[in-house]
Amino acid sequence: EEVKGVKEIDKYYEEDLIDLLEYCQGVDCDIVFFATPFNGSEERMQQLNYTIDLIEESGFDVINLNTEEAIDEMGLDYSKDYFNANHTSSSGAIKVTDYLSDIFAERYDLLSHKGDALYESWGKSYQEFAEEYK
Protein backbone atom coordinates (compact mmCIF):
# COMPACT_ATOMS: atom_id res chain seq x y z
CA GLU A 1 0.00 0.00 0.00
CA GLU A 2 1.29 3.39 -1.00
CA VAL A 3 2.38 5.58 1.92
CA LYS A 4 0.82 9.02 2.17
CA GLY A 5 1.90 11.93 4.32
CA VAL A 6 5.26 13.52 4.91
CA LYS A 7 7.90 13.45 7.61
CA GLU A 8 10.74 15.93 7.76
CA ILE A 9 14.22 14.68 7.01
CA ASP A 10 17.24 15.35 9.20
CA LYS A 11 18.16 19.04 9.00
CA TYR A 12 21.71 18.16 7.90
CA TYR A 13 20.36 16.33 4.84
CA GLU A 14 17.80 19.02 4.16
CA GLU A 15 20.48 21.71 4.14
CA ASP A 16 22.53 19.66 1.67
CA LEU A 17 19.49 19.14 -0.54
CA ILE A 18 18.68 22.85 -0.49
CA ASP A 19 22.29 23.65 -1.43
CA LEU A 20 22.06 21.17 -4.31
CA LEU A 21 18.76 22.61 -5.50
CA GLU A 22 20.16 26.14 -5.41
CA TYR A 23 23.17 24.99 -7.43
CA CYS A 24 20.91 23.22 -9.94
CA GLN A 25 18.84 26.37 -10.43
CA GLY A 26 21.98 28.08 -11.71
CA VAL A 27 22.84 25.34 -14.21
CA ASP A 28 21.85 25.97 -17.80
CA CYS A 29 20.23 22.62 -18.58
CA ASP A 30 17.14 20.62 -17.73
CA ILE A 31 17.45 18.60 -14.54
CA VAL A 32 15.28 15.67 -13.52
CA PHE A 33 15.46 13.90 -10.17
CA PHE A 34 14.30 10.34 -9.70
CA ALA A 35 13.84 8.05 -6.74
CA THR A 36 14.71 4.46 -7.48
CA PRO A 37 12.64 1.71 -5.85
CA PHE A 38 13.41 0.65 -2.31
CA ASN A 39 11.50 -1.33 0.25
CA GLY A 40 11.33 1.28 3.00
CA SER A 41 9.48 1.69 6.24
CA GLU A 42 6.48 3.99 6.43
CA GLU A 43 8.71 6.65 8.00
CA ARG A 44 11.29 6.45 5.19
CA MET A 45 8.58 6.65 2.55
CA GLN A 46 7.12 9.72 4.27
CA GLN A 47 10.61 11.25 4.27
CA LEU A 48 10.83 10.50 0.54
CA ASN A 49 7.50 12.29 0.06
CA TYR A 50 8.88 15.29 1.99
CA THR A 51 12.03 15.31 -0.15
CA ILE A 52 10.01 15.09 -3.37
CA ASP A 53 7.90 18.05 -2.20
CA LEU A 54 11.05 20.14 -1.62
CA ILE A 55 12.41 19.29 -5.05
CA GLU A 56 9.14 19.99 -6.86
CA GLU A 57 8.67 23.27 -4.95
CA SER A 58 12.06 24.28 -6.38
CA GLY A 59 10.69 23.77 -9.89
CA PHE A 60 12.27 20.44 -10.81
CA ASP A 61 10.63 17.28 -12.13
CA VAL A 62 10.75 14.18 -9.97
CA ILE A 63 10.15 10.65 -11.17
CA ASN A 64 9.17 8.54 -8.17
CA LEU A 65 9.57 4.85 -8.91
CA ASN A 66 8.20 3.91 -5.48
CA THR A 67 4.53 4.31 -6.32
CA GLU A 68 2.24 1.30 -6.58
CA GLU A 69 1.62 2.15 -10.23
CA ALA A 70 5.34 2.28 -11.09
CA ILE A 71 6.13 -0.94 -9.19
CA ASP A 72 3.28 -2.72 -11.01
CA GLU A 73 4.25 -1.32 -14.43
CA MET A 74 7.88 -2.37 -13.94
CA GLY A 75 6.74 -5.81 -12.79
CA LEU A 76 9.05 -5.71 -9.77
CA ASP A 77 8.89 -8.75 -7.50
CA TYR A 78 10.37 -8.09 -4.07
CA SER A 79 11.36 -11.76 -3.72
CA LYS A 80 13.65 -11.77 -6.78
CA ASP A 81 14.17 -8.21 -8.02
CA TYR A 82 15.74 -6.83 -4.85
CA PHE A 83 19.24 -7.45 -3.53
CA ASN A 84 18.27 -5.95 -0.17
CA ALA A 85 15.72 -3.42 1.12
CA ASN A 86 17.58 -0.51 -0.48
CA HIS A 87 18.86 -1.94 -3.76
CA THR A 88 17.46 -3.83 -6.69
CA SER A 89 19.14 -6.97 -7.95
CA SER A 90 20.45 -7.12 -11.50
CA SER A 91 17.04 -8.29 -12.75
CA GLY A 92 15.37 -5.42 -10.90
CA ALA A 93 17.92 -2.94 -12.23
CA ILE A 94 17.13 -4.01 -15.79
CA LYS A 95 13.40 -3.47 -15.17
CA VAL A 96 14.07 -0.04 -13.65
CA THR A 97 16.35 0.97 -16.55
CA ASP A 98 13.84 -0.14 -19.17
CA TYR A 99 11.01 1.69 -17.38
CA LEU A 100 13.03 4.88 -16.95
CA SER A 101 14.07 4.86 -20.59
CA ASP A 102 10.40 4.70 -21.59
CA ILE A 103 9.54 7.61 -19.29
CA PHE A 104 12.39 9.72 -20.62
CA ALA A 105 11.37 8.95 -24.20
CA GLU A 106 7.74 9.94 -23.50
CA ARG A 107 8.28 13.06 -21.37
CA TYR A 108 11.45 14.66 -22.63
CA ASP A 109 12.69 15.64 -26.05
CA LEU A 110 15.79 13.46 -26.12
CA LEU A 111 17.64 12.28 -29.16
CA SER A 112 17.65 8.55 -29.71
CA HIS A 113 21.06 7.08 -30.37
CA LYS A 114 19.79 3.60 -31.20
CA GLY A 115 21.59 2.48 -34.32
CA ASP A 116 24.13 5.31 -34.01
CA ALA A 117 27.62 3.89 -34.65
CA LEU A 118 29.13 6.11 -31.93
CA TYR A 119 26.95 4.34 -29.34
CA GLU A 120 27.24 0.83 -30.72
CA SER A 121 29.58 -0.43 -27.98
CA TRP A 122 27.19 0.78 -25.26
CA GLY A 123 24.23 -0.97 -26.88
CA LYS A 124 26.21 -4.18 -27.24
CA SER A 125 27.39 -4.07 -23.62
CA TYR A 126 23.87 -3.48 -22.34
CA GLN A 127 22.47 -6.30 -24.46
CA GLU A 128 25.11 -8.72 -23.13
CA PHE A 129 24.38 -7.63 -19.56
CA ALA A 130 20.63 -7.99 -20.00
CA GLU A 131 20.94 -11.43 -21.55
CA GLU A 132 23.12 -12.66 -18.70
CA TYR A 133 21.10 -11.23 -15.83
CA LYS A 134 17.45 -11.25 -16.90
Side-chain angles (χ1 to χ4, degrees):
E1 183 175 316
E2 201 163 319
V3 175
K4 302 293 183 193
V6 296
K7 180 172 176 43
E8 287 187 357
I9 58 176
D10 182 278
K11 290 298 176 196
Y12 174 80
Y13 297 123
E14 186 171 344
E15 289 171 5
D16 285 348
L17 176 59
I18 290 169
D19 286 347
L20 175 63
L21 294 171
E22 288 173 356
Y23 171 80
C24 289
Q25 288 170 334
V27 175
D28 187 25
C29 68
D30 294 328
I31 296 174
V32 178
F33 290 83
F34 59 93
T36 55
F38 67 97
N39 193 8
S41 66
E42 182 173 347
E43 178 180 4
R44 287 195 61 214
M45 295 307 257
Q46 289 175 335
Q47 289 172 324
L48 174 62
N49 293 341
Y50 180 84
T51 302
I52 289 171
D53 287 349
L54 286 176
I55 295 168
E56 289 178 336
E57 287 169 7
S58 294
F60 297 104
D61 288 345
V62 177
I63 300 170
N64 181 7
L65 301 181
N66 289 284
T67 65
E68 288 178 18
E69 178 183 0
I71 298 294
D72 288 345
E73 288 180 4
M74 285 183 279
L76 286 177
D77 178 345
Y78 286 107
S79 67
K80 62 181 177 181
D81 292 327
Y82 282 80
F83 176 72
N84 60 30
N86 296 315
H87 300 92
T88 57
S89 64
S90 56
S91 64
I94 291 168
K95 291 177 181 182
V96 169
T97 301
D98 289 344
Y99 187 75
L100 268 178
S101 68
D102 290 344
I103 290 175
F104 277 99
E106 289 173 19
R107 292 188 191 176
Y108 306 102
D109 188 24
L110 300 175
L111 295 175
S112 173
H113 294 287
K114 291 180 180 177
D116 187 329
L118 295 173
Y119 294 86
E120 186 177 327
S121 65
W122 185 93
K124 181 180 175 191
S125 295
Y126 178 75
Q127 186 64 36
E128 290 172 359
F129 172 82
E131 288 173 7
E132 184 172 341
Y133 291 103
K134 268 192 176 179

Coordinates of all heavy atoms in Angstrom, one line a residue, residues 52 66 76-77 100 110:
I52 N 10.6 14.8 -2.1 CA 10.0 15.1 -3.4 C 9.3 16.4 -3.4 O 9.4 17.2 -4.3 CB 9.1 13.9 -3.8 CG1 9.9 12.7 -4.1 CG2 8.2 14.4 -5.0 CD1 9.0 11.4 -4.3
N66 N 8.7 4.6 -6.7 CA 8.2 3.9 -5.5 C 6.7 3.9 -5.3 O 6.2 3.5 -4.3 CB 8.8 4.5 -4.2 CG 10.3 4.2 -4.1 OD1 10.7 3.1 -3.8 ND2 11.1 5.2 -4.5
L76 N 8.1 -5.4 -10.8 CA 9.0 -5.7 -9.8 C 8.5 -6.7 -8.8 O 7.3 -6.6 -8.3 CB 9.5 -4.5 -9.0 CG 10.5 -3.5 -9.8 CD1 10.8 -2.3 -8.9 CD2 11.7 -4.2 -10.1
D77 N 9.2 -7.7 -8.5 CA 8.9 -8.8 -7.5 C 9.9 -8.7 -6.4 O 11.1 -8.9 -6.6 CB 8.9 -10.1 -8.2 CG 8.6 -11.3 -7.3 OD1 8.6 -11.1 -6.0 OD2 8.4 -12.4 -7.8
L100 N 12.6 3.5 -16.9 CA 13.0 4.9 -16.9 C 13.3 5.3 -18.4 O 12.9 6.5 -18.7 CB 14.3 5.0 -16.1 CG 14.2 5.4 -14.7 CD1 15.6 5.5 -14.1 CD2 13.5 6.8 -14.5
L110 N 14.4 14.0 -26.1 CA 15.8 13.5 -26.1 C 16.1 12.8 -27.5 O 15.2 12.1 -28.0 CB 16.0 12.5 -25.0 CG 15.8 13.0 -23.6 CD1 16.0 11.8 -22.6 CD2 16.8 14.1 -23.3

